Amino acid sequence: MTKKRPNKKFRKIILGIETSCDDTGIGLVTTDGELIGDLKFSSAQIQAQYGGVVPEVAARFHADQILPLTEKLLKQYDVSIAEIVAITYTEQPGLIGCLLVGQAFAKTLSWLWNIPILAINHIAAHIFSIGLTEPIVFPFLALVASGKTTSLFHVKSFSDFELLNATIDDAIGEAYDKVGRIMNLAYPAGPKIDQLYNDHLIVPNLAQQPPANKPFSYSGIKTAAINYWKTLDHDNLVHSQQLLATAFQKWVIKSLMRKIDYYQKKLNLTNVAIVGGVAANQLLRSEISKTNLKVALVDHQYATDNGAMVAYYGAMLYNQDK
Ligand code: KG4
């Protein structure tokens, strides 16, 4: 939720624009990193009928929503153009048509209002999204787990972060969504699989865990999930969904935990941040809470794509340039 509003008299505000996938997000953060507010329109439910995000459809929703959302947000928090010191937008990575809508909008505002513009890396914005709700302590291990990304980073500062491991095929959220499709769950299936998970069910180990230092990969577990689904008796659909959800989620979260453990020990890091849509996962949250790590879990509200994280990271970079 929105924190205490900074004294209006001294506000210097960064406007953040996020359009990398199916969420149109607009955020306002002060240069001190204090969140003023944000608004989001998600086309995910509308896209569920296609079984996933159709880039062209998502881009059209961004084009329709971006201006009314921005106007509404500025009005809601009584922000004047004079208070905005920089406009930040997601430059990459993402769906190209969607990114272009955000970029064109940001450039237009920058030109109209004569305000500097700053291009932001989407993954970095996710990594530092934890700063929206708690102070950031460097160095830390960051797990970015979303529908588009599965990566681990060694983060030393706002501008110095090293990629340690990344997926060689699907992203983790994408694997959840695809396995969801096997069992007739609507997109996005991640939260539904998480709900269907039942620790009391006896399920087989779907696949061997690869060594922790090997890249993330979800193609093998997807095939194993399809094969397991074929062996189940579907008279009681919910029960077979629970079985596959449990077997799949057990494997996936164990593999995440093994990698976190490996890099945390190797680099002697005690602080871990988990960001991206999959950070909402209940089993992941429960397993990580059993470790001795100091864990920063992104707030549910900011785990998925949003404009506030773009504005927040923009604010940190703006300060570095001063
Ligand atoms: O960060 P996000 O909005 O990024 C992308 O759009 O890529 O994350 C969305 C992804 C989807 O794939 C969704 O199925 C997954 O995050 N997700 C989850 C959970 N909540 C969302 N996956 C597993 N467990 C969850 N509770």
Side-chain angles (χ1 to χ4, degrees):
M1 275 280 75
T2 311
K3 291 196 227 161
K4 161 176 81 65
R5 278 165 68 171
N7 185 339
K8 192 169 185 316
K9 228 171 154 187
F10 301 103
R11 292 197 302 189
K12 275 181 162 186
I13 297 170
I14 308 288
L15 174 71
I17 299 164
E18 159 61 34
T19 61
S20 66
C21 190
D22 54 359
D23 294 315
T24 315
I26 310 292
L28 295 166
V29 169
T30 69
T31 51
D32 296 332
E34 195 165 347
L35 176 67
I36 295 175
D38 73 303
L39 285 176
K40 179 155 112 169
F41 172 84
S42 173
S43 63
Q45 298 310 321
I46 302 156
Q47 308 235 24
Q49 62 184 300
Y50 307 111
V53 180
V54 180
E56 169 76 15
V57 175
R60 283 169 191 239
F61 275 108
H62 290 310
D64 284 347
Q65 296 296 326
I66 202 161
L67 179 59
L69 269 184
T70 307
E71 283 177 331
K72 190 173 167 196
L73 184 67
L74 295 179
K75 199 166 169 204
Q76 191 169 326
Y77 292 96
D78 192 22
V79 170
S80 70
I81 295 162
E83 293 176 292
I84 300 175
V85 293
I87 294 162
T88 58
Y89 70 96
T90 304
E91 185 188 36
Q92 48 107 1
L95 301 171
I96 190 69
C98 296
L99 291 169
L100 284 173
V101 175
Q103 186 192 60
F105 183 64
K107 285 191 171 172
T108 307
L109 289 187
S110 164
W111 177 75
L112 267 176
W113 295 345
N114 195 23
I115 295 172
I117 189 165
L118 196 56
I120 294 289
N121 178 286
H122 182 66
I123 310 297
H126 267 301
I127 292 175
F128 298 108
S129 62
I130 50 163
L132 285 164
T133 40
E134 56 187 282
I136 291 182
V137 182
F138 294 107
F140 63 92
L141 182 68
L143 169 68
V144 186
S146 75
K148 299 184 288 290
T149 313
T150 311
S151 312
L152 274 163
F153 289 88
H154 180 191
V155 186
K156 298 159 206 167
S157 75
F158 285 114
S159 48
D160 184 4
F161 41 96
E162 179 196 345
L163 180 65
L164 301 169
N165 198 318
T167 180
I168 48 165
D169 39 54
D170 284 347
I172 183 169
E174 194 180 355
Y176 265 95
D177 297 334
K178 287 180 177 170
V179 168
R181 214 181 300 167
I182 299 168
M183 54 174 129
N184 304 316
L185 297 175
Y187 171 88
K192 298 176 186 90
I193 291 180
D194 196 11
Q195 274 163 18
L196 285 164
Y197 175 87
N198 181 343
D199 199 28
H200 300 299
L201 290 175
I202 296 165
V203 289
N205 178 17
L206 289 187
Q208 212 185 335
Q209 289 285 345
N213 62 342
K214 292 282 179 234
F216 287 103
S217 167
Y218 295 99
S219 54
I221 189 67
K222 251 181 0 192
T223 307
I226 294 171
N227 291 339
Y228 180 50
W229 184 250
K230 285 182 188 157
T231 68
L232 296 174
D233 161 9
H234 301 300
D235 282 351
N236 181 343
L237 180 63
V238 175
H239 184 64
S240 46
Q241 285 173 330
Q242 283 175 328
L243 288 171
L244 179 53
T246 305
F248 171 73
Q249 177 150 291
K250 259 199 176 135
W251 188 94
V252 168
I253 301 303
K254 187 171 180 185
S255 123
L256 278 188
M257 292 304 298
R258 279 162 55 86
K259 283 185 163 47
I260 290 173
D261 182 63
Y262 171 81
Y263 287 105
Q264 169 264 317
K265 288 195 173 115
K266 184 177 174 197
L267 300 164
N268 197 21
L269 295 170
T270 49
N271 293 302
V272 176
I274 303 185
V275 300
V278 183
N281 187 272
Q282 295 305 320
L283 182 62
L284 175 60
R285 287 181 174 243
S286 143
E287 289 300 310
I288 199 96
S289 70
K290 293 177 195 159
T291 65
N292 293 326
L293 298 167
K294 286 188 203 114
V295 186
L297 280 160
V298 69
D299 193 276
H300 279 277
Q301 196 182 350
Y302 301 110
T304 50
D305 293 346
N306 64 85
M309 69 181 189
V310 178
Y312 178 84
Y313 186 46
M316 298 303 111
L317 295 183
Y318 176 88
N319 292 336
Q320 279 189 343
D321 286 349
K322 291 282 118 192

